[in-house]
Amino acid sequence: MASVSPGLAAWGLMTGVAMVKSGMSPFEAVAMSLLVFAGSSQLAAMPLIAVGAPVWVILSTSFCVNLRFVVFSAHLRPYLMHLPLRWRLLHGYLTADMSYVLFTRHYHHPPVTELERREQMAYLSGGSLFNWISWQSASLLGIALTNVIPTHWGLGFAGILALLGVGCSLASSHLRRVSAGVAGMAAVVAYALPLKLNIVVAIASAVALCLIIEETGHKQAGRAT
């Protein structure tokens, strides 16, 4: 996690500044950073909150942006099912994009022995906690220094670069690269829609197309056997 922490810190710092700049009080911004802990959905929700968008639009957009965590959870289920519910909930809160990616790259199969369980939980817990500290410390620093940090530092651009790095690291298969390309094109085509609804259109388009491709692939594999 140490290798990606500078990008996470830049992203967190930019998000902290953006929350206060969008009209939130410092208390609201701190509460959102600690309770939500989902940078991409925070960034998607903030402009909607700032323009007074309906609650259902804000919730729908945040839900769509965070849909990937449903996939993450389904993948991690066999790794974590031996834990009590409270520990699974805690891992659900702490596990983020990079901690998930690094963990699944390091461990390709769920644990079998008690020793493997301890080793995998130590790796996931350490990575997730390091990720949480990197994000929250930078985000809280951004909230505290909103009126001190010059806007010409280009924090927005740094945040975009951090998001781009995270996105590229997740594009590890042909289907994921297709979904990223489709989502990007749909977001540009639907850019004129109000209330940032182009984000919802982009996610829905990518999910729908990838489900069709995956289902078609399963049917072709079934015919081949």
Side-chain angles (χ1 to χ4, degrees):
M1 288 300 300
S3 60
V4 298
S5 59
L8 290 172
W11 188 11
L13 185 69
M14 185 273 295
T15 303
V17 173
M19 283 192 288
V20 179
K21 290 289 187 184
S22 68
M24 286 183 168
S25 68
F27 176 78
E28 291 171 334
V30 170
M32 186 177 193
S33 181
L34 294 175
L35 296 176
V36 178
F37 183 44
S40 51
S41 68
Q42 286 176 235
L43 289 173
M46 276 185 284
L48 299 177
I49 295 173
V51 299
V55 173
W56 71 267
V57 173
I58 298 171
L59 293 178
S60 299
T61 302
S62 300
F63 177 77
C64 290
V65 171
N66 281 334
L67 268 179
R68 66 190 186 282
F69 287 107
V70 176
V71 179
F72 293 175
S73 300
H75 187 194
L76 289 177
R77 186 175 186 276
Y79 292 87
L80 303 177
M81 277 307 292
H82 63 281
L83 295 175
L85 177 61
R86 62 181 183 281
W87 287 109
R88 277 181 275 150
L89 291 174
L90 181 60
H91 277 290
Y93 168 70
L94 288 175
T95 301
D97 297 275
M98 292 313 302
S99 53
Y100 165 79
V101 169
L102 294 177
F103 176 77
T104 53
R105 280 183 179 175
H106 198 76
Y107 296 102
H108 300 289
H109 304 289
V112 177
T113 66
E114 185 60 29
L115 181 62
E116 288 178 340
R117 287 177 178 173
R118 291 181 182 178
E119 180 183 328
Q120 291 189 8
M121 287 307 97
Y123 188 95
L124 180 62
S125 301
S128 297
L129 189 60
F130 192 92
N131 180 80
W132 186 87
I133 292 173
S134 299
W135 168 268
Q136 295 294 359
S137 58
S139 180
L140 296 178
L141 184 65
I143 294 169
L145 302 179
T146 298
N147 297 320
V148 178
I149 298 175
T151 55
H152 66 266
W153 279 15
L155 292 177
F157 185 65
I160 291 171
L161 289 179
L163 279 173
L164 188 62
V166 172
C168 290
S169 67
L170 293 174
S172 56
S173 69
H174 177 67
L175 194 60
R176 290 179 180 180
R177 288 189 284 273
V178 170
S179 67
V182 170
M185 287 188 288
V188 173
V189 171
Y191 184 75
L193 290 176
L195 301 175
K196 301 287 184 183
L197 287 175
N198 62 321
I199 297 174
V200 179
V201 172
I203 295 170
S205 303
V207 171
L209 182 63
C210 288
L211 287 175
I212 293 172
I213 293 174
E214 195 171 42
E215 183 63 23
T216 304
H218 288 159
K219 288 181 179 178
Q220 290 177 344
R223 291 194 193 101
T225 55

